[in-house]
Amino acid sequence: MRAIERTGAQVELSDPSSIQGSPLYNEDLAPVPLSRRTWGTYNYAALWMGIAHGIPTYYLASGLIGLGMSWYQAVMTIALGNLIVLGPILLNSHAGTKYGIPYPVFARAAFGTLGANVPALMRALSACGWFGIQTWIGGQAIYTITGAFAGDAWLNAGEVWGHPKTLWLSFAVFWLLQIALIVRGIESIRRLENWSAPLILVVAAFLLVWMVIQADGFGPLATEPSKLGWGADFWLLFAPSLMGMIAYFATMSVNIADFTRYSKGQREQMIGQSLGLPPTITLFSMIGALTTSATIVVYGHAIWDPVELVSRFSNPVVVVFALLCVIVATIAVNVAANVVGPAFDFSNALPRLISFRTGGIIAGVIGILMQPWRLLSSPELYIFSWLGVTGAVLGSVAGVLTAEYWLLRKRQLDLVGLYTRGGPYEYAKGFNWRSLLTLAIVLFLSLAGAYSENGNGPFPADGLIPFLKPLFDYGWAVAFLGGIALHTAFSKLFPHRAAVPAAVEEKDRVTV
C-alpha cells in the first residue's frame, strides 16, 4: 500500500482499509487522515495554557519556597525546567504531526509492535497518578463551593479516612464529570481547551490584584531573601528541584504525539506549544507566589491554596464564579494531560477490546487507587519522591524515542509497518531488546540511589544504593541523555536487519 506525502511533509495512507484487519489496529489508534488534522497554532497554545493553569502549577513555587528558596529563585527554577522540557516535547511532537499517529503507535518503531506496551503502560501509570492528584484538588474545589452555601454541616461532616465524608463525595462528583467528558471523545476536549484556557488565569490575576490592594503591597515573601542564599546549600537543592520541574511535564514530553497527530502542520504545533508552555507556567507560578505573600499581611499566615483563599471572600457570587472557573479549568487540565494519553496507552495493549473511551475509564479508576491525597501530603513526597521518580521513568522513554526517530531513522517511518505483525517493527517476536535493555539500565542508574531528605519519605536518607545517590538528584537528565546514548549505541552495534525503512518511496510521493 502507498503512503502519500503532502505539502508540509505530512503523510497519510492511500488505502486505510488494508490495515483494518490487523490485531494492532482500532479506530482510535489509526492514522488521522489529513482532512481531520485541523488543530492550529491557537489550539496548541490554548492546550498548554489550559494545562499550565492547573492548581498544582500554582503550588509549585510554594513547595520550593517551603524548602528555603526565595520566590524569585523558585520561579527561576520553574521557568528553566519548563524551557528545558520544551525540547523533548517538540522533538517527540514531529512524528505525530507527520504521520498522524498517537504515542503508543509511534513507540512501536523503537520498542516493537508488542514491546511498545512497556513504555506505553509506564507512561499510563504515571499519568494515572497525576489524574488522581488533579481530581483530588478539583474535589476540594467542589467541597468548598458547596460549603459556601451549605455551611458547617457540610464542611464539618463526619470524617472517613481522615477527611470529611462530604469531601469524598465531592471527589467522586469531580471524577464523574471528567469521565463524562472522556466518553464524549477527543473533539469535545479540544473545544473545552479553546475556551477554558484563560479562565483560571483570570481568577489568579483577580486574586493577586485583590490581595495586593488589601495588603497595601506584595507582602513579606516578595522581599524576603532566600534562606539558602546563592551558595552550596542553594545549588544542592536546585538540582533535584530542577529535575522535579522538568518531571512536572515529562508525561507530555512522551505522549505529545497524541495531540500533534491532529495538527495542520509542524509550524502550527511548534509555535503554539512554544508560546503556550514556558511563558504561561512562569507567569502563573509567579502570580501564585506573590498572591501568597500578600495573604501573610491580610490573614497573618500564608495561604497557598487558591481554593481556600477564594472561600474566604464574603460575596457568594464571587466565590461561586471563581470556584466554577477553577473547576472547569482543572477538568480541562486533567483530561488533556492525564487521561488522553493513558486512554490511548491502554487501548494499545488490547486494541480489539479497549477503545479510547474504555481506556479513559480504566485510567480514572487507577488514578483513585493510587491515593492522590497521600502524594500531596508533603513537599518532600510530592517534589522529590513523586516528581523525581516519574521524571526518571518518563525521561528514559523520551530519550529512546528521540534517538530512534531523529538519529537512527532520520524522521522516516513505515506507516503501514507500524500496524503490521511480522513487519519491519516486529524485531524479536514483537520486542526490541535494545530499547528495553536501555530502559532497564538508565532506570537503574537514575533510581537505584533514590533517597528521601532526612528520611521524610518512602526512601532511606542514604539512598537505596548509597553510591548512586548523587544520580537521583539528576534523575531526568540521566534517564533522558542516557536513553539517547545507550539506545543509539546498542542499535549501531547490533543493527536490526529491517532497520531504517523508507516510509515513502519516491515513486509514491505526491505533492499537492
Side-chain angles (χ1 to χ4, degrees):
M1 186 203 331
R2 294 195 314 167
I4 300 176
E5 184 171 352
R6 304 291 180 108
T7 299
Q10 288 183 285
V11 176
E12 69 175 358
L13 295 178
S14 59
D15 180 19
S17 63
S18 63
I19 64 171
Q20 292 176 0
S22 168
L24 301 174
Y25 173 93
N26 67 29
E27 289 185 2
D28 296 313
L29 297 174
V32 177
L34 290 173
S35 61
R36 288 176 47 211
R37 300 187 200 180
T38 57
W39 291 33
T41 301
Y42 175 75
N43 295 122
Y44 289 102
L47 173 72
W48 276 113
M49 287 174 65
I51 293 172
H53 287 163
I55 294 178
T57 303
Y58 193 96
Y59 288 156
L60 283 179
S62 70
L64 297 178
I65 292 172
L67 294 170
M69 288 189 184
S70 65
W71 75 270
Y72 48 85
Q73 286 176 330
V75 171
M76 177 199 72
T77 304
I78 293 166
L80 181 58
N82 283 276
L83 190 62
I84 291 172
V85 82
L86 180 64
I89 286 173
L90 294 179
L91 288 172
N92 287 322
S93 293
H94 193 281
T97 306
K98 182 173 182 177
Y99 295 98
I101 53 176
Y103 155 64
V105 174
F106 174 35
R108 293 171 186 171
F111 292 91
T113 52
L114 298 181
N117 286 310
V118 175
L121 294 177
M122 287 166 60
R123 188 262 178 252
L125 292 175
S126 171
C128 288
W130 276 115
F131 174 82
I133 288 171
Q134 294 271 19
T135 302
W136 181 254
I137 290 169
Q140 289 176 318
I142 291 179
Y143 169 76
T144 301
I145 194 172
T146 307
F149 296 94
D152 289 342
W154 174 271
L155 294 173
N156 299 315
E159 291 191 352
V160 176
W161 298 323
H163 298 283
K165 291 182 290 186
T166 46
L167 178 55
W168 291 111
L169 176 61
S170 302
F171 177 61
V173 169
F174 193 78
W175 184 88
L176 288 171
L177 287 173
Q178 295 170 105
I179 296 301
L181 187 64
I182 280 292
V183 169
R184 292 179 60 86
I186 191 73
E187 274 303 301
S188 66
I189 297 170
R190 180 181 69 89
R191 289 192 293 269
L192 177 63
E193 293 293 341
N194 283 347
W195 65 264
S196 69
L199 282 180
I200 199 166
L201 182 61
V202 170
V203 173
F206 166 76
L207 289 178
L208 175 61
V209 172
W210 179 264
M211 294 312 303
V212 167
I213 292 173
Q214 297 298 309
D216 195 25
F218 285 107
L221 282 183
T223 56
E224 185 175 320
S226 169
K227 297 175 183 177
L228 306 172
W230 290 97
D233 290 342
F234 169 75
W235 295 108
L236 286 173
L237 178 65
F238 173 77
S241 298
L242 180 65
M243 293 302 105
M245 297 309 104
I246 293 171
Y248 188 68
F249 285 130
T251 52
M252 294 291 285
S253 73
V254 169
N255 81 296
I256 189 62
D258 291 337
F259 297 94
T260 59
R261 65 192 298 221
Y262 301 102
S263 180
K264 294 177 181 178
Q266 301 291 359
R267 183 176 182 274
E268 285 81 0
Q269 60 89 1
M270 290 181 66
I271 294 176
Q273 294 193 88
S274 299
L275 293 176
L277 174 56
T280 299
I281 197 169
T282 302
L283 175 63
F284 195 62
S285 59
M286 183 172 66
I287 288 175
L290 294 177
T291 302
T292 302
S293 178
T295 65
I296 298 174
V297 176
V298 178
Y299 298 109
H301 66 280
I303 300 176
W304 280 102
D305 187 348
V307 173
E308 179 186 350
L309 181 56
V310 168
S311 69
R312 291 176 176 261
F313 285 74
S314 58
N315 188 323
V317 175
V318 173
V319 173
V320 170
F321 172 76
L323 290 180
L324 281 176
C325 290
V326 169
I327 290 169
V328 170
T330 303
I331 290 175
V333 172
N334 213 15
V335 171
N338 303 316
V339 182
V340 170
F344 285 124
D345 296 337
F346 291 128
S347 179
N348 186 69
L350 295 168
R352 292 297 182 183
L353 298 177
I354 301 177
S355 67
F356 172 81
R357 293 170 174 82
T358 304
I361 295 172
I362 293 172
V365 172
I366 295 176
I368 295 174
L369 297 178
M370 294 182 76
Q371 303 183 52
W373 47 92
R374 294 185 185 274
L375 295 176
L376 287 170
S377 61
S378 73
E380 289 85 1
L381 186 62
Y382 177 48
I383 292 177
F384 295 138
S385 299
W386 171 249
L387 290 179
V389 170
T390 57
V393 168
L394 297 168
S396 65
V397 176
V400 170
L401 294 178
T402 299
E404 182 75 20
Y405 184 69
W406 288 91
L407 300 181
L408 299 173
R409 298 192 180 273
K410 311 297 185 184
R411 303 185 303 282
Q412 296 298 316
L413 300 177
D414 183 333
L415 188 52
V416 177
L418 291 171
Y419 296 87
T420 305
R421 288 304 310 270
Y425 307 112
E426 184 67 11
Y427 296 103
K429 297 183 179 180
F431 294 87
N432 183 3
W433 65 266
R434 303 157 190 80
S435 54
L436 295 173
L437 179 60
T438 295
L439 288 190
I441 293 174
V442 298
L443 286 177
F444 174 78
L445 292 174
S446 56
L447 295 180
Y451 70 95
S452 299
E453 195 71 37
N454 301 319
N456 296 325
F459 306 119
D462 292 332
L464 295 172
I465 299 180
F467 79 90
L468 290 176
K469 178 180 176 180
L471 293 183
F472 184 64
D473 286 344
Y474 301 90
W476 179 87
V478 170
F480 180 68
L481 298 176
I484 292 175
L486 284 180
H487 182 59
T488 302
F490 287 148
S491 299
K492 294 286 189 180
L493 291 172
F494 308 99
H496 177 56
R497 59 181 176 80
V500 196
V504 184
E505 297 294 337
E506 189 63 39
K507 63 185 176 61
D508 292 336
R509 184 171 292 148
V510 178
T511 302
V512 296

